[in-house]
Amino acid sequence: MDTIKTAELDHDFIKEISEEPGAEKITLCFNCTGCTAGCPMADLEAQYNIRKILRMASLGMKDEVLNNPYLWYCTTCYKCQERCPQGVQNVDALLKIRTIAVKNGIMLPKHRAVAKLVIEYGHAVPINDDAKEKRKKLGLEEMPYTVQRFPESLDEVHKLVEITKFGELTTE
Amino acid sequence: MPKLSFFLGCIMPNRYPGIEIATKKTLEKLGVELVELPGASCCPAPGVFRSFDKATWLSIAARNVVLSEELGYDLLTVCNGCFGSLVDANNILKEDEAEREATNKILKQIGHEFKGTIRVRHIIEFLHSEVGADKIKEAVVKPVDLKVAVHYGCHLIKPSKERHLGSVENPRFFDELVEAVGAESIEYEDKLACCGAGGGARTAVLDTALQMAEAKVQHAIAAGADCFVDACPFCHLQLDVGQTEIAKKFGREYNLPVLHYSQLLGLSMGYTPEEMGIDMNYITNDEFMKKIGGDK
């Protein structure tokens, strides 16, 4: 393993992570590894190690953490967060780190596509012909009474994501 | 009669409308009135949108909660993901003044304001605490003789600091509702395990996410389950569509049926599997359909 050089650490990274209430608790970790021992994703992908990611984050290894492809493996099952003896909010911290990655332009193309669906249709999973057919057969209205049926409601969502600049943030 | 707004979300109305009709019909029979919540959007999905940008996640979720506030009713969801987003957002906005102010500044520009006047409810915890297993038992006309692998899913009970629904390692409330309709809730290995879909993992790393689902299916079958019963259309999709993907990608076929609790409840109230849309799942299992009295 390479030596960690303190001069290359970003000490502001933990401050940025700590903007999320509770996320600062990652510095309380004493490496008991209970989080990873119970992690269902680590059972399948040993390379995915939330303890290591959060440890590296609290040390200030910003680039390594943000570019770690395993950052996106967590299913947010919250098992680790519930079990942590130190009360570390692992998942909340990981989600905050992901938002910092996105802010730095690091995002999977497939996730960009999901973001685009909500920006366009107000739904991550919009209606399709098959669903319309099924709805009719069940005696439901073909179009559910959600944002996809009311243009003025969709306008509200469009305006909202425009205000938060979500489109710019998630488009390459 | 308790009255709630019915938040549809994405996957239920747009992929599994059987769950929607089952929820409407069964709650009506239990004396719970659902009103429409016109114009609601994606919750938005907590694992992905909260991973992308918190302000966007929070303000879209807030808008959905506010639409129900404006109607004056608590909001009901039948999805763990929507529950995760909407409960967490509602709690953050009620408790964190700075977040509320910032979000209201955004909402004001589309003519809304978050006031913090309602609760967000999930059908399972709502039925358990507000209706009760005894009342459900009274509504059963056709006890369901099935061995059920109950799948709680993660975000129904976790994070517990936002849910307060008791034990996250060994919860019982969902099992009690399943047993109330005459079914047997069986024990199976890693019962509380995640389906693998959440957090954007199904989108990011499908094959790995499917391995997680496959382990659940194998454990349920090994314990003798006739079907899964879940509390979330996204877990439902992962376990149902997931089995078709597992068959295609890994060459292993299981065809273990997947029901949402509302559909199981509907069967016990005398509705046919077709009326509850159970035949609209992506996997097919004729033997099971025959067992629950289906046409085919």
Side-chain angles (χ1 to χ4, degrees):
Chain A
M1 193 188 157
D2 293 338
T3 312
I4 302 165
K5 297 190 181 82
T6 48
E8 288 169 12
L9 299 177
D10 183 339
H11 299 292
D12 289 332
F13 191 36
I14 186 66
K15 286 183 202 153
E16 201 177 350
I17 294 167
S18 302
E19 285 169 7
E20 174 66 30
E24 73 286 351
K25 290 186 189 160
I26 61 173
T27 57
L28 300 178
C29 169
F30 53 46
N31 274 310
C32 77
T33 72
C35 50
T36 321
C39 175
M41 186 52 87
D43 277 351
L44 296 170
E45 288 285 348
Q47 290 291 311
Y48 170 67
N49 185 329
I50 191 166
R51 182 196 58 79
K52 197 169 162 188
I53 291 175
L54 297 181
R55 189 71 174 170
M56 288 166 77
S58 57
L59 282 171
M61 299 171 74
K62 187 174 178 176
D63 285 346
E64 289 91 336
V65 169
L66 297 189
N67 289 295
N68 183 343
Y70 292 99
L71 187 59
W72 302 95
Y73 275 59
C74 172
T75 66
T76 70
C77 81
Y78 284 97
K79 197 172 167 190
C80 56
Q81 184 157 318
E82 295 292 337
R83 287 181 172 182
C84 177
Q86 286 290 82
V88 174
Q89 291 173 210
N90 314 44
V91 180
D92 297 342
L94 190 89
L95 292 184
K96 174 66 183 178
I97 292 170
R98 285 181 176 180
T99 64
I100 298 170
V102 170
K103 225 190 222 164
N104 284 275
I106 303 162
M107 197 175 173
L108 297 170
K110 283 179 184 167
H111 281 158
R112 290 188 197 279
V114 177
K116 203 171 164 213
L117 287 172
V118 167
I119 291 169
E120 267 184 56
Y121 304 108
H123 280 291
V125 182
I127 192 99
N128 60 19
D129 288 342
D130 178 50
K132 282 186 191 167
E133 200 51 48
K134 285 178 175 166
R135 295 183 63 84
K136 218 162 72 183
K137 216 172 139 196
L138 289 164
L140 289 163
E141 287 183 272
E142 250 183 57
M143 274 301 270
Y145 51 82
T146 64
V147 68
Q148 55 199 343
R149 181 158 141 189
F150 306 103
E152 65 279 13
S153 299
L154 189 57
D155 277 351
E156 286 189 12
V157 174
H158 284 160
K159 210 183 254 178
L160 213 150
V161 292
E162 205 182 292
I163 298 166
T164 64
K165 298 191 167 63
F166 189 57
E168 289 166 46
L169 190 70
T170 55
T171 311
E172 241 176 327
Chain B
M1 183 190 274
K3 218 169 172 176
L4 299 131
S5 75
F6 188 17
F7 179 81
L8 303 182
C10 296
I11 297 174
M12 176 187 70
N14 299 337
R15 291 296 179 273
Y16 289 101
I19 299 171
E20 187 176 327
I21 194 81
T23 302
K24 285 184 170 175
K25 296 215 163 173
T26 54
L27 288 191
E28 194 187 341
K29 284 219 166 161
L30 291 170
V32 179
E33 193 181 337
L34 293 181
V35 298
E36 292 185 349
L37 186 60
S41 67
C42 179
C43 55
V48 273
F49 290 89
R50 199 173 177 176
S51 293
F52 301 160
D53 182 44
K54 193 178 176 189
T56 304
W57 167 76
L58 192 54
S59 48
I60 295 180
R63 178 182 170 273
N64 287 323
V65 173
V66 165
L67 291 179
S68 192
E69 280 187 355
E70 288 167 359
L71 292 177
Y73 303 118
D74 284 352
L75 175 155
L76 183 89
T77 170
V78 302
C79 172
N80 289 358
C82 300
F83 190 55
S85 263
L86 299 175
V87 165
D88 290 359
N90 200 29
N91 287 348
I92 290 170
L93 294 169
K94 278 183 181 178
E95 288 157 17
D96 188 327
E97 213 175 309
E99 290 278 23
R100 186 170 63 243
E101 239 174 74
T103 305
N104 268 336
K105 231 167 127 181
I106 297 171
L107 289 178
K108 202 179 165 192
Q109 298 177 61
I110 56 166
H112 297 292
E113 186 192 358
F114 177 87
K115 294 200 170 90
T117 52
I118 62 152
R119 282 181 73 186
V120 172
R121 307 302 302 260
H122 185 290
I123 186 168
I124 301 300
E125 58 86 22
F126 177 83
L127 284 177
H128 190 262
S129 65
E130 309 297 335
V131 177
D134 287 342
K135 201 171 166 199
I136 289 174
K137 271 181 209 161
E138 285 169 24
V140 172
V141 297
K142 204 177 154 200
V144 187
D145 182 21
L146 288 175
K147 286 186 171 167
V148 164
V150 173
H151 173 68
Y152 278 78
C154 303
H155 301 130
L156 171 59
I157 47 177
K158 296 176 282 185
S160 58
K161 69 179 165 72
E162 308 286 356
R163 306 284 186 281
H164 310 292
L165 292 172
S167 169
V168 298
E169 299 282 351
N170 190 23
R172 284 292 306 160
F173 63 100
F174 190 1
D175 305 86
E176 285 167 20
L177 294 184
V178 166
E179 280 156 6
V181 304
E184 181 192 347
S185 170
I186 59 161
E187 287 306 315
Y188 66 101
E189 193 180 336
D190 274 341
K191 178 178 166 188
L192 269 293
C194 173
C195 70
R202 187 180 152 81
T203 305
V205 283
L206 179 62
D207 285 12
T208 317
L210 287 176
Q211 286 177 53
M212 227 184 260
E214 186 177 18
K216 283 221 75 133
V217 175
Q218 286 172 340
H219 293 152
I221 290 173
D226 293 309
C227 64
F228 274 120
V229 169
D230 60 53
C232 170
F234 196 30
C235 300
H236 194 98
L237 182 144
Q238 167 79 348
L239 295 171
D240 175 39
V241 174
Q243 287 185 67
T244 67
E245 291 163 334
I246 288 164
K248 224 184 279 168
K249 284 169 175 280
F250 312 146
R252 291 186 286 273
E253 252 188 73
Y254 299 99
N255 295 323
L256 183 65
V258 186
L259 274 65
H260 187 275
Y261 182 70
S262 56
Q263 295 173 309
L264 183 79
L265 186 57
L267 290 179
S268 80
M269 289 176 169
Y271 292 108
T272 66
E274 289 77 18
E275 282 173 314
M276 300 290 95
I278 295 168
D279 59 330
M280 291 176 176
N281 273 348
Y282 290 77
I283 64 127
T284 49
N285 185 324
D286 294 344
E287 201 185 322
F288 177 78
M289 288 304 284
K290 227 163 83 188
K291 197 166 183 172
I292 60 171
D295 290 342
K296 43 191 175 186

